[in-house]
């Protein structure tokens, strides 16, 4: 008998000692003392014991870790802060051991699962300014540079644009210790102190820009979509900045226009794309390669207790012929030029890896992030195996708003390859240059220009020398609830 339930988006966790008949089954698990104040920690342990990809490798998540309920309760009580508890039961999480020693770099949580659910739909509080943050020498001071601006945002109405720099917020110099609070804190409005760069030196300027974060700001991930005529070759250019299922139809409409324009080449610009929906990555790949539904796109690998309960049909994703609402518009290409950098993660890398067995993927830019695991959104709804479902809002524990987004599996392509934890290495190395970021979508913007040169075989003398590499240690996109998450959003099918 096959059963279906949904892997949706959201958070908050709690699990009971018994399993249920309609979801993924777990063995017996301990119960905490009902008088103990460990509701959130119990939810986290129960959900992670069931779903976490590395459950078998974490001693504190072992099925036989506790011999009595009293021992289990004492363990939960030893971590009074739920956030600290969550990361302590991850597999050498970077928040605990640092990035270099980490195995799990990407699992995260949110104290309010509703905020997470909104972010997975592209809805968040934002002023529309997307930027990278870099270090000023070895001083501990920080500077920011504008990467792009969201249309219809507060920033889009202000005197600020791509390629500009800032060093101060509300008159205070940004540093490694204060940038989180100044830029990503509770302040809905702040004033940026702008700066200039000359001769590899950054200098404060008198210019200031006031920005205000807007509630429920929606990001359209399709920043630029146009067909370029380059020496008689029709080249589709798509700058795609997040994989959001709520924009699948818009994406398909873009490809319908590419087809109508007679595009025979595609430059897919994902230099700032941190990921998102696995299914949207499948649809985009089908729009690029084709709609042969017998060709394997990816296969999933979960932990042992979950893998055994999932059907082969669910575990294998094929290229698509439909978005679910309309027929896929495909360019049916034999190659694609992908602009990708260290900011390109998860679902962006999945597109590159999933297409690789079938077409030539020419990667221009830098080594990607190396996020090859996917996650699901878990909330305190044990009756649905902790998986968030918008139709079950009333079943979520009203006393526990925590949401989790743990890594629960890996995707491998049709050739069985999934080992890109160190990132996907470019065929053509080219970093962004702080002194010449260019205008996105313009044929002279360096990374796009390099792709077009490769497409046309042009011999024009173009200087791609990078004078000041755009090195940054974080970006604004990594400080949103969704971060660089890759998540499943399709019905879960059991054996």
């Amino acid at each position: 008998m096959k059963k279906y339930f949904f892997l949706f988006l959201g958070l908050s966790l709690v699990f009971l000692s018994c399993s249920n008949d309609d979801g993924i089954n777990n063995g017996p698990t301990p119960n905490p003392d009902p008088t103990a104040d460990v509701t959130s920690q119990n939810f986290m342990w129960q959900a992670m014991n069931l779903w976490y990809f590395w459950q078998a490798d974490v001693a504190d998540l072992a099925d036989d870790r506790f011999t009595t309920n009293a021992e289990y309760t004492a363990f939960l009580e030893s971590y009074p802060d739920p956030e600290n508890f969550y990361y302590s039961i991850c597999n050498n999480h970077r928040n605990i051991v640092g990035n270099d020693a980490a195995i799990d770099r990407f699992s995260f949580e949110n104290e309010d699962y509703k905020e997470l659910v909104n972010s997975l739909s592209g809805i968040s509080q934002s002023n529309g300014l997307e930027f990278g943050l870099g270090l000023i020498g070895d001083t501990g001071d920080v500077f920011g540079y504008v990467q792009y601006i969201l249309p219809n945002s507060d920033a889009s109405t202000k005197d600020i644009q791509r390629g500009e720099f800032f060093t101060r917020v509300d008159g205070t110099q940004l540093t490694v210790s204060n940038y989180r609070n100044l830029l990503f804190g509770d302040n809905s409005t702040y004033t940026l102190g702008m700066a200039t760069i000359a001769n590899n030196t950054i200098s404060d300027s008198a210019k200031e820009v006031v920005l205000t974060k807007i509630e429920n700001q929606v990001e359209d991930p399709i920043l630029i979509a146009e067909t370029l005529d380059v020496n008689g070759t029709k080249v589709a250019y798509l700058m795609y900045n997040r994989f959001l299922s709520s924009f699948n139809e818009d994406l398909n409409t873009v490809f319908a226009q590419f087809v109508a324009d007679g595009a025979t080449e595609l430059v897919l610009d994902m230099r700032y794309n941190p990921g998102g929906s696995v299914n949207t990555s499948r649809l985009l790949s089908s729009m690029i390669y084709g709609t042969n539904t017998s060709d394997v796109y990816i296969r999933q690998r979960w932990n042992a207790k979950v893998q055994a309960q999932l059907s082969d049909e669910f575990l294998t994703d094929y290229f698509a012929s439909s978005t679910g609402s309309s027929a896929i518009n495909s360019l049916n290409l034999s190659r694609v030029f992908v602009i990708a950098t260290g900011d390109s993660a998860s679902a962006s890398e999945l597109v590159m890896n999933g297409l690789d067995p079938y077409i030539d993927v020419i990667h221009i830019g830098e080594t990607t992030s190396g996020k090859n695991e996917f996650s699901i959104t878990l909330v305190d709804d044990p009756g649905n195996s902790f998986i968030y479902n918008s139709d079950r809002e009333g079943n979520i524990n009203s006393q526990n708003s925590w949401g989790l987004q743990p890594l629960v599996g890996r995707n491998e392509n049709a050739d069985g390859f999934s080992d890109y934890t160190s990132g996907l290495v470019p065929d053509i190395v080219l970093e962004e240059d702080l002194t010449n970021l260019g205008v996105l979508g313009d044929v002279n913007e360096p990374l796009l220009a390099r792709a077009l040169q490769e497409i046309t075989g042009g011999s024009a003398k173009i200087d791609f020398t990078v004078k000041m590499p755009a090195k940054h240690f974080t970006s604004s996109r990594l400080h949103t609830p969704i971060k660089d998450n890759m998540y499943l959003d399709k019905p879960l099918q059991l054996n």
Side-chain angles (χ1 to χ4, degrees):
M1 176 181 179
K2 294 181 178 178
K3 307 174 187 176
Y4 300 82
F5 67 100
F6 284 90
L7 288 176
F8 253 124
L9 325 172
L11 311 180
S12 182
L13 328 173
V14 173
F15 193 74
L16 300 180
S17 59
C18 59
S19 60
N20 66 81
D21 294 332
D22 297 320
I24 292 290
N25 295 312
N26 200 5
T29 57
N31 283 312
D33 185 326
T35 65
D37 183 18
V38 292
T39 298
S40 298
Q41 292 89 333
N42 179 55
F43 154 65
M44 292 175 178
W45 191 92
Q46 300 285 349
M48 294 286 278
N49 169 264
L50 174 60
W51 290 105
Y52 192 47
F53 182 60
W54 292 285
Q55 182 265 337
D57 300 318
V58 178
D60 283 335
L61 287 177
D63 294 336
D64 59 357
R65 167 65 174 83
F66 307 101
T67 56
T68 66
N69 288 336
E71 183 185 4
Y72 176 60
T73 302
F75 172 71
L76 300 182
E77 289 180 323
S78 68
Y79 291 90
D81 182 348
E83 181 179 3
N84 289 342
F85 175 74
Y86 174 65
Y87 291 116
S88 76
I89 58 174
C90 291
N91 189 13
N92 291 312
H93 197 279
R94 66 177 171 187
N95 284 17
I96 302 294
V97 302
N99 198 62
D100 291 341
I103 294 175
D104 184 346
R105 296 177 290 155
F106 300 108
S107 292
F108 66 97
E109 40 61 43
N110 193 307
E111 194 170 1
D112 181 0
Y113 75 84
K114 292 182 179 180
E115 182 179 353
L116 178 64
V117 171
N118 282 337
S119 71
L120 293 172
S121 299
I123 302 171
S124 63
Q125 184 187 63
S126 171
N127 55 35
L129 189 74
E130 299 294 349
F131 53 87
L133 294 177
L135 297 173
I136 302 176
D138 56 1
T139 65
D141 288 344
V142 168
F143 74 94
Y145 67 97
V146 180
Q147 295 170 325
Y148 66 96
I149 293 171
L150 298 182
N152 304 312
S153 66
D154 182 65
S156 70
T157 68
K158 302 297 176 64
D159 180 21
I160 190 168
Q161 61 185 340
R162 171 174 166 82
E164 289 196 89
F165 304 89
F166 57 89
T167 54
R168 305 169 317 282
V169 173
D170 295 332
T172 300
Q173 170 65 50
L174 287 166
T175 69
V176 292
S177 59
N178 70 16
Y179 78 87
R180 291 182 182 86
N181 183 57
L182 292 175
L183 290 168
F184 309 111
D186 296 331
N187 49 331
S188 59
T189 297
Y190 57 67
T191 300
L192 291 182
M194 307 306 289
T196 59
I197 287 183
N199 299 319
N200 290 333
T201 300
I202 188 163
S203 304
D204 294 348
S205 71
K207 180 179 177 180
E208 292 186 333
V209 178
V210 179
L211 297 173
T212 299
K213 299 173 186 176
I214 300 171
E215 288 286 351
N216 300 322
Q217 174 73 52
V218 178
E219 176 182 1
D220 185 341
I222 305 166
L223 187 66
I224 303 171
E226 58 187 3
T227 303
L228 307 171
D229 190 331
V230 185
N231 299 330
T233 300
K234 298 286 189 178
V235 180
Y237 173 74
L238 172 63
M239 184 158 203
Y240 191 59
N241 289 333
R242 229 182 243 288
F243 289 81
L244 298 175
S245 58
S246 52
F247 288 87
N248 287 347
E249 292 305 315
D250 301 76
L251 187 61
N252 200 33
T253 299
V254 163
F255 273 81
Q257 188 61 53
F258 288 159
V259 171
D261 291 342
T264 57
E265 302 280 4
L266 171 66
V267 177
L268 175 60
D269 193 341
M270 300 190 292
R271 75 183 75 184
Y272 302 134
N273 192 323
S277 164
V278 170
N279 185 55
T280 299
S281 81
R282 180 178 73 102
L283 299 181
L284 174 57
S285 296
S286 302
M287 295 170 196
I288 296 168
Y289 161 64
T291 58
N292 188 343
T293 56
S294 63
D295 285 345
V296 172
Y297 176 51
I298 53 164
R299 294 186 179 91
Q300 302 163 22
R301 186 156 51 88
W302 302 64
N303 73 34
K305 66 171 70 176
V306 173
Q307 186 88 6
Q309 299 182 62
L310 296 174
S311 69
D312 289 340
E313 182 179 351
F314 173 80
L315 292 170
T316 304
D317 281 329
Y318 297 86
F319 285 87
S321 59
S322 169
T323 64
S325 299
S326 58
I328 290 285
N329 299 303
S330 181
L331 288 172
N332 298 300
L333 298 174
S334 60
R335 67 177 184 176
V336 61
F337 295 82
V338 177
I339 297 173
T341 67
D343 284 335
S344 309
S346 63
S348 296
E349 296 168 301
L350 190 61
V351 166
M352 299 167 71
N353 192 46
L355 286 173
D356 188 63
Y358 301 99
I359 66 176
D360 192 10
V361 178
I362 300 96
H363 174 185
I364 300 166
E366 305 167 61
T367 300
T368 60
S369 176
K371 186 177 187 297
N372 56 350
E373 297 93 4
F374 59 84
S375 68
I376 59 176
T377 301
L378 302 177
V379 294
D380 197 350
D381 181 9
N384 199 43
S385 298
F386 305 113
I387 295 173
Y388 174 78
N389 186 328
S390 59
D391 294 334
R392 292 180 56 88
E393 287 274 353
N395 297 95
I396 298 172
N397 185 353
S398 61
Q399 302 303 309
N400 182 21
S401 63
W402 280 93
L404 306 182
Q405 200 75 29
L407 300 180
V408 296
R410 282 182 175 166
N411 290 308
E412 55 187 35
N413 67 15
D415 291 339
F417 179 72
S418 65
D419 186 16
Y420 51 90
T421 303
S422 298
L424 298 171
V425 178
D427 301 289
I428 301 170
V429 178
L430 184 59
E431 297 175 288
E432 286 200 298
D433 186 346
L434 290 177
T435 68
N436 182 29
L437 284 174
V439 177
L440 293 172
D442 187 282
V443 295
N444 295 308
E445 185 276 313
L447 273 73
L448 175 56
R450 184 66 184 85
L452 296 177
Q453 184 185 66
E454 196 71 14
I455 289 171
T456 62
S459 57
K461 298 294 183 181
I462 303 176
D463 185 4
F464 291 108
T465 302
V466 176
K467 298 177 181 177
M468 195 172 182
K471 301 290 187 184
H472 56 279
F473 63 89
T474 192
S475 71
S476 52
R477 290 172 301 287
L478 296 183
H479 292 268
T480 63
I482 191 175
K483 300 184 180 181
D484 48 4
N485 181 44
M486 175 165 60
Y487 54 87
L488 293 178
D489 53 351
K490 70 173 184 175
L492 181 64
Q493 183 175 322
L494 308 181
N495 284 319

